[in-house]
Amino acid sequence: LELTYNSIYGTIPPNFGTMESLKTISLKRNKISGTIISELGQLINLERIEISHNLLTGNIPSQLGAIDALKILSLSYNDLH
């Protein structure tokens, strides 16, 4: 799922956690706000999560650490803890 540079507003929908075949989520350089949903941790095939340069806040869900296939996690330029 490649949606970089699209001026997307709003939050990451919880139903992203049901897209089991996703290998990449790239939402870089948009205007996505809210938190990173813990449901992303259910996507065991994810190799890349790129959500840098957005308006995300809050904590990074620990569930992301359980994705064995994950090679790239890019969350910079947000207000995350």
Side-chain angles (χ1 to χ4, degrees), residues 29-59:
R29 296 190 180 269
N30 284 292
K31 296 181 184 348
I32 298 169
S33 58
T35 61
I36 298 174
I37 57 169
S38 60
E39 288 86 351
L40 292 182
Q42 298 170 14
L43 302 177
I44 60 170
N45 296 312
L46 265 183
E47 296 175 359
R48 288 179 29 211
I49 299 174
E50 298 178 332
I51 316 175
S52 62
H53 296 86
N54 279 287
L55 305 170
L56 295 168
T57 59
N59 294 320

Side-chain angles (χ1 to χ4, degrees), residues 23 45-50 64 67-74:
K23 293 195 180 234
N45 296 312
L46 265 183
E47 296 175 359
R48 288 179 29 211
I49 299 174
E50 298 178 332
L64 299 184
I67 304 172
D68 290 334
L70 193 61
K71 294 179 174 89
I72 297 172
L73 178 61
S74 177

